[in-house]
Amino acid sequence: MAASSDPVLSIRGLSKTYATGQRALENVDLEIRRGEIFALLGPNGAGKTTLIGAVCGLVQPTAGTILVDGHDAVRDFRAARARIGLVPQELATDMFETVHATVSFSRGLFGKRRDRALVERILRGLSLWEKRDAVISSLSGGMKRRVLIAKALAHEPVVLFLDEPTAGVDVELRRDMWAMVRRLREEGVTIILTTHYIEEAEEMADRVGIIDRGTIVLVEEKTDLMRRYGQTRLSIGLAEPLDTLPAELVGEDVALSQDGLTLTLVQSGAGGAGLEPAELFRRLGAAGLAISSVATSRSSLEDIFVDLVSHREHPRHEVRS
Amino acid sequence: MTFNVPAIRAIYLFELHRTWRTLFQSIASPVISTSLYVIVFGTAIGPQMAAIDGVPYAAFVVPGLILLAVLTESVSNASFGIYLPRFTGTIYELLSAPISVGEVLLGYVGAAVTKSVLLGLIILGTARLFVTFSIAHPLAMLAFLVLVALGFCLLGFLLGLWADGFERLQIVPALVLTPLTFLGGTFYSVAALPPVWRAVTMLNPIVYLIEGFRWTFFGTASVHIGVSVFMALALICACLGAIVFIFRTGRRLRA
């Protein structure tokens, strides 16, 4: 990846208050680097879709500026929007048009001359070429989602927004989609995705942004985030159960399980004065304990996310069908 | 890029394709129903009626019948064209595209006007099979037809932007347009009405359009052609203003 320093998308002080009084975004600042895959995570109603809508022209911001590849999204909306492709969350498609016609239509709508070869390449890349003359209403949900992606790519956007691209999508399509996203990144397209499936962000994203109640809580390189907030657990199985923690380990970050058979050492990713595993083993040896098994596990992005958001303590209304 | 020509073209062709797909419903059915009117009023009842301003009754009703079909189809076709993407959600693409309201209108309303004018001409040709008449000002007739089609396609587009259900989409043509057209002098001369009813009728804007269209056929009408053209232009300007307002403010379109 060749992410150069000038941002492809620059958002400053973006706020949105809906007519109902609901404050969906509050003073959001965000910069997206050219060529990266950026995952925007957040609970339901956090403002993910509003943020995307504001960039794409579906939502009128209450305040703030948005620059797309240097073009103001309001004053210079033609140049800004021509550079953006949007795959919406809802499966909104024409019903009676054919796949090929609807993708060509999208290309025209975004001001590009007809290009059959390009449309063919996009359709083939999404396994849609065989279905090019099929009427959209006859397609399955997964195929319709592919059509939406094809439409968003038809005008060769610089930035592609994928709003919950894999919600309700089967495993095969999800894998196809991940492969497609990586391919697009190799071609230099910047990808911003929102997702519920945190493993998706963990698998694909270069950077992760967490949004909660309309505010960007954190933006970080995924690897830094995992290192900084992630924890490593070292679980040691004992041959004989213990009643209490051995004296050698009292005062350290070590816990004994209820059945007395497992010792757990938690190392926080942020480093610090934790007990080193080697030192732990030396002390275990000194205490004369027989070790039957050793296992390590790292916390996932999901654990980190849940941790960060729940620390902000607010009532979570999980209403997702 | 100052003008998104590919977008206008894409929308225009998309809309004409929709017409082609629903050809029977959008062209054949109004042609058939108007032909029935022409047959009943022209050939069956017409010979028993007195000529109006020297025009045989059978010919007299033809311009009004053409406009009746053109107005109704313009409103329903143009309103459906923009309401459908709002209903299915595909409007997101239009709103996120690099196009201005002018380009959206050229595409959607341009296609609707094309269809309405074609429909008007087809009905005109069909009517001529049953009734004998000649057109005094053919070019003016065509120009006036385009003007009226434009006005009502814009009205339909506005309706499609405003409606929040299929019911409302159908109520306006059925409850407002058809009565106004029937009472707008399609089947009788406004000049022949008693003074009170005449005054009431003159509040109906469609009267001016029908009288204007009739003038292009027979060279006589109860209203001066200038007034008719002014009314058509006024309708166009009012609808344009409302549509631009809706797009500028994002009402009913953008969150």
Side-chain angles (χ1 to χ4, degrees):
Chain A
M1 178 194 61
S4 60
S5 55
D6 73 314
V8 74
L9 176 64
S10 171
I11 297 170
R12 287 263 167 275
L14 185 66
S15 296
K16 172 65 184 180
T17 306
Y18 285 106
T20 56
Q22 186 205 344
R23 305 182 67 162
L25 293 176
E26 283 186 56
N27 202 21
V28 167
D29 292 329
L30 185 61
E31 290 208 333
I32 304 296
R33 296 173 191 158
R34 198 172 295 273
E36 73 174 336
I37 297 179
F38 186 90
L40 191 60
L41 304 180
N44 286 309
K48 301 187 294 283
T49 300
T50 302
L51 181 60
I52 291 180
V55 176
C56 297
L58 305 180
V59 170
Q60 294 186 312
T62 313
T65 57
I66 298 164
L67 294 181
V68 184
D69 209 2
H71 301 277
D72 188 288
V74 175
R75 264 179 293 124
D76 196 5
F77 74 96
R78 285 181 195 271
R81 291 187 196 168
R83 285 164 170 77
I84 298 176
L86 167 64
V87 181
Q89 197 171 333
E90 307 291 333
L91 279 179
T93 55
D94 293 310
M95 288 178 273
F96 310 112
E97 291 295 322
T98 64
V99 171
H100 196 282
T102 198
V103 174
S104 303
F105 171 78
S106 297
R107 184 170 167 82
L109 203 56
F110 279 76
K112 292 287 175 77
R113 296 268 154 224
R114 283 206 269 194
D115 186 341
R116 294 189 74 87
L118 179 97
V119 171
E120 178 175 343
R121 194 155 56 83
I122 290 169
L123 291 181
R124 283 190 189 281
L126 287 158
S127 313
L128 279 172
W129 183 244
E130 306 301 319
K131 297 273 184 191
R132 64 189 177 279
D133 295 322
V135 172
I136 299 169
S137 60
S138 72
L139 299 178
S140 67
M143 280 294 177
K144 281 182 186 155
R145 196 166 287 280
R146 287 172 201 253
V147 171
L148 287 180
I149 298 172
K151 281 166 77 72
L153 292 175
H155 64 282
E156 304 157 274
V158 178
V159 181
L160 181 67
F161 282 96
L162 296 163
D163 195 359
E164 303 271 352
T166 50
V169 150
D170 63 29
V171 180
E172 189 196 354
L173 175 53
R174 206 191 301 187
R175 225 172 267 142
D176 276 9
M177 215 165 321
W178 289 6
M180 181 209 70
V181 165
R182 288 205 187 86
R183 211 165 54 230
L184 285 171
R185 205 245 318 245
E186 278 161 26
E187 290 170 17
V189 179
T190 306
I191 290 142
I192 300 164
L193 58 94
T194 71
T195 180
H196 251 64
Y197 301 106
I198 297 175
E199 74 259 32
E200 200 161 85
E202 191 169 336
E203 167 92 17
M204 303 211 295
D206 299 310
R207 284 200 306 155
V208 173
I210 294 178
I211 183 169
D212 187 30
R213 283 175 292 166
T215 311
I216 299 277
V217 180
L218 160 156
V219 173
E220 229 164 314
E221 296 282 341
K222 181 188 69 194
T223 46
D224 287 351
L225 186 68
M226 305 278 286
R227 203 180 309 126
R228 178 116 70 99
Y229 294 94
Q231 293 174 332
T232 308
R233 284 166 176 276
L234 178 61
S235 302
I236 297 161
L238 303 171
E240 301 287 330
L242 288 177
D243 292 333
T244 54
L245 207 59
E248 288 86 346
L249 298 176
V250 170
E252 299 294 349
D253 231 350
V254 178
L256 181 66
S257 65
Q258 291 234 309
D259 60 9
L261 280 167
T262 312
L263 284 169
T264 309
L265 169 69
V266 177
Q267 280 186 303
S268 107
L275 188 62
E276 289 294 319
E279 174 65 12
L280 174 67
F281 284 116
R282 202 190 56 73
R283 293 194 198 172
L284 287 176
L289 296 174
I291 295 169
S292 67
S293 69
V294 174
T296 60
S297 68
R298 283 185 61 85
S299 56
S300 66
L301 187 56
E302 175 146 20
D303 299 327
I304 299 170
F305 170 75
V306 169
D307 211 37
L308 277 170
V309 172
S310 62
H311 269 130
R312 288 169 49 81
E313 277 175 47
H314 64 100
R316 294 276 299 276
H317 305 286
E318 287 292 342
V319 274
R320 182 94 190 166
S321 55
Chain B
M1 181 175 57
T2 50
F3 213 56
N4 190 345
V5 179
I8 300 170
R9 183 188 136 97
I11 297 172
Y12 185 83
L13 293 178
F14 179 92
E15 280 297 291
L16 283 191
H17 187 238
R18 188 170 64 81
T19 301
W20 183 248
R21 211 170 47 216
T22 54
L23 194 65
F24 187 80
Q25 178 200 326
S26 54
I27 300 274
S29 91
V31 167
I32 289 170
S33 65
T34 312
S35 300
L36 291 174
Y37 275 123
V38 171
I39 292 168
V40 171
F41 285 99
T43 24
I45 299 178
Q48 297 162 40
M49 304 284 285
I52 299 173
D53 291 339
V55 178
Y57 186 73
F60 179 85
V61 295
V62 167
L65 286 175
I66 295 173
L67 274 205
L68 175 65
V70 168
L71 300 195
T72 314
E73 272 309 300
S74 293
V75 170
S76 76
N77 181 46
S79 63
F80 201 72
I82 189 67
Y83 181 72
L84 198 62
R86 285 182 59 215
F87 178 75
T88 60
T90 54
I91 188 94
Y92 84 86
E93 201 179 19
L94 197 65
L95 296 177
S96 66
I99 48 176
S100 67
V101 55
E103 289 149 356
V104 170
L105 284 178
L106 277 172
Y108 277 101
V109 179
V113 169
T114 305
K115 181 184 151 183
S116 293
V117 170
L118 281 178
L119 175 72
L121 294 178
I122 291 171
I123 293 176
L124 178 67
T126 316
R128 189 66 183 76
L129 297 176
F130 302 104
V131 181
T132 311
F133 59 85
S134 57
I135 300 169
H137 310 285
L139 280 181
M141 187 277 291
L142 193 62
F144 197 75
L145 182 63
V146 171
L147 217 55
V148 171
L150 175 59
F152 281 83
C153 286
L154 285 169
L155 185 67
F157 192 84
L158 187 60
L159 174 65
L161 286 179
W162 166 80
D164 46 18
F166 279 104
E167 216 172 299
R168 288 200 174 180
L169 219 52
Q170 286 159 351
I171 269 180
V172 171
L175 250 51
V176 182
L177 234 51
T178 310
L180 283 182
T181 317
F182 267 82
L183 301 175
T186 301
F187 301 107
Y188 52 85
S189 168
V190 179
L193 290 173
V196 176
W197 284 113
R198 187 177 174 172
V200 172
T201 304
M202 294 318 269
L203 294 175
N204 176 358
I206 291 176
V207 168
Y208 301 89
L209 304 179
I210 293 177
E211 289 294 332
F213 199 48
R214 191 172 280 142
W215 177 87
T216 67
F217 277 69
F218 310 122
T220 58
S222 314
V223 176
H224 191 272
I225 180 68
V227 179
S228 298
V229 171
F230 174 81
M231 290 301 276
L233 290 174
L235 173 70
I236 291 169
C237 291
C239 293
L240 267 181
I243 291 167
V244 169
F245 174 79
I246 286 179
F247 268 82
R248 286 272 155 81
T249 58
R251 281 179 149 211
R252 290 194 179 260
L253 284 176
R254 294 188 163 89

